[in-house]
Amino acid sequence: MFKTRLITSLVGIPLLIAILYQGGWYWKGFFILLAIVGLFEFYRMIINKGHKVLQLPGYFLLLIILLGVDYPQFLLPGIYLFLVVALLYFVLCYPRFSPLDLAWTLLGSAYIGFLLAYTIQIADLSQPFLVILLAFLLTWASDIGGYLFGSVWGKHKMSPLLSPGKSWEGAAGSLLLSLLVSFAFFKLLDLGQLGISPVILLGVAASILAQCGDLFISGIKRYSAVKDTGRIIPGHGGVLDRFDAFLLVVPAVYYFFVYCI
């Protein structure tokens, strides 16, 4: 398993960086595809639990939220159309389609679509590649730091009901490596006059958010009684297995560059 994960990372990370470096519709197309596959995995987990979801309206809402940055004139009408269709379906199909089914449909589309919409917003910043690169670096640092410290020193469970493998020692390692990456990134690159405090704050926030995103998807997997969200990434599982932490980190990085640089 470790060998497969390593090979996938060695191939996948350079390919990911190359796509993001190209920018434009390569960039946007990648994140649109990521969102669609992520929502497919989310809905499949919920269906596995025995719930129903409105899949086509759900994908429609996902794209409306995701692309609302570029096409704001369609955002509110699109959300309104989704609500009309969803509520009409609920009224006509009750009780076969419950309020909880409607809530799961909305949560999946809104959670993934809203958070990944920040990747589309980042594309319009002055140095988008560096911004998105930092978001990924902080996410990976949190993941690697947590894994290394947790494997070596992990004894005290952080959230055994959500993720038995997570420990407070791993959380400390996640925090430490995220701090180091944040500091090194701004030390090596000239991105304006920044004090040490904002850089430290970003590293701490990214680590906490990454771990929260990871635990949230772990909770959905526990609830749905599945081990992985999917199998599309060899050795890593599904898109949500690999990008769960990134989803919460990328908005924080976006706001950091908007308000601090």
Side-chain angles (χ1 to χ4, degrees):
M1 177 63 74
F2 177 76
K3 182 179 179 181
T4 304
R5 289 172 63 95
L6 181 60
I7 293 173
T8 300
S9 298
L10 291 176
V11 174
I13 290 176
L15 179 60
L16 169 64
I17 292 175
I19 291 172
L20 297 177
Y21 188 76
Q22 290 296 316
W25 276 105
Y26 290 98
W27 173 304
K28 294 180 181 180
F30 170 77
F31 285 114
I32 291 171
L33 180 61
L34 194 73
I36 292 172
V37 176
L39 185 59
F40 171 80
E41 293 175 352
F42 187 93
Y43 282 166
R44 189 175 65 174
M45 288 191 291
I46 298 308
I47 292 171
N48 185 73
K49 182 64 178 177
H51 297 289
K52 300 179 180 68
V53 292
L54 289 173
Q55 295 198 48
L56 287 180
Y59 288 115
F60 171 77
L61 179 62
L62 172 80
L63 294 176
I64 285 294
I65 295 174
L66 190 63
L67 298 176
V69 176
D70 285 339
Y71 306 99
Q73 68 272 25
F74 297 124
L75 181 60
L76 291 181
I79 294 175
Y80 174 67
L81 180 59
F82 165 82
L83 289 174
V84 169
V85 172
L87 296 180
L88 183 62
Y89 188 88
F90 170 74
V91 169
L92 294 176
C93 297
Y94 184 83
R96 288 179 289 117
F97 190 77
S98 72
L100 187 56
D101 297 327
L102 182 59
W104 280 118
T105 301
L106 180 60
L107 175 62
S109 298
Y111 182 77
I112 296 172
F114 176 77
L115 294 177
L116 281 181
Y118 283 94
T119 65
I120 308 300
Q121 287 186 293
I122 286 173
D124 296 327
L125 296 180
S126 60
Q127 301 185 75
F129 177 71
L130 292 179
V131 180
I132 202 70
L133 179 62
L134 178 59
F136 275 110
L137 289 175
L138 289 171
T139 303
W140 295 335
S142 176
D143 186 40
I144 294 170
Y147 175 78
L148 292 177
F149 273 59
S151 299
V152 177
W153 294 292
K155 292 181 180 179
H156 301 88
K157 301 299 182 183
M158 177 192 294
S159 183
L161 294 180
L162 286 179
S163 184
K166 293 287 189 295
S167 66
W168 286 109
E169 291 81 2
S174 170
L175 186 64
L176 177 60
L177 195 55
S178 294
L179 278 171
L180 291 175
V181 167
S182 181
F183 181 77
F185 186 87
F186 288 102
K187 188 73 173 178
L188 293 172
L189 299 175
D190 184 16
L191 296 175
Q193 298 296 321
L194 273 177
I196 189 66
S197 297
V199 175
I200 291 175
L201 180 61
L202 178 63
V204 171
S207 175
I208 293 173
L209 291 168
Q211 293 179 72
C212 286
D214 189 352
L215 287 171
F216 173 69
I217 296 301
S218 292
I220 300 296
K221 290 191 290 186
R222 283 273 171 183
Y223 176 78
S224 305
V226 298
K227 183 178 183 296
D228 296 316
T229 64
R231 299 180 180 177
I232 194 171
I233 307 176
H236 293 269
V239 160
L240 292 180
D241 288 310
R242 189 66 277 161
F243 291 88
D244 50 2
F246 173 78
L247 289 175
L248 281 182
V249 171
V250 70
V253 175
Y254 168 80
Y255 284 122
F256 182 86
F257 273 83
V258 169
Y259 293 111
C260 296
I261 293 182

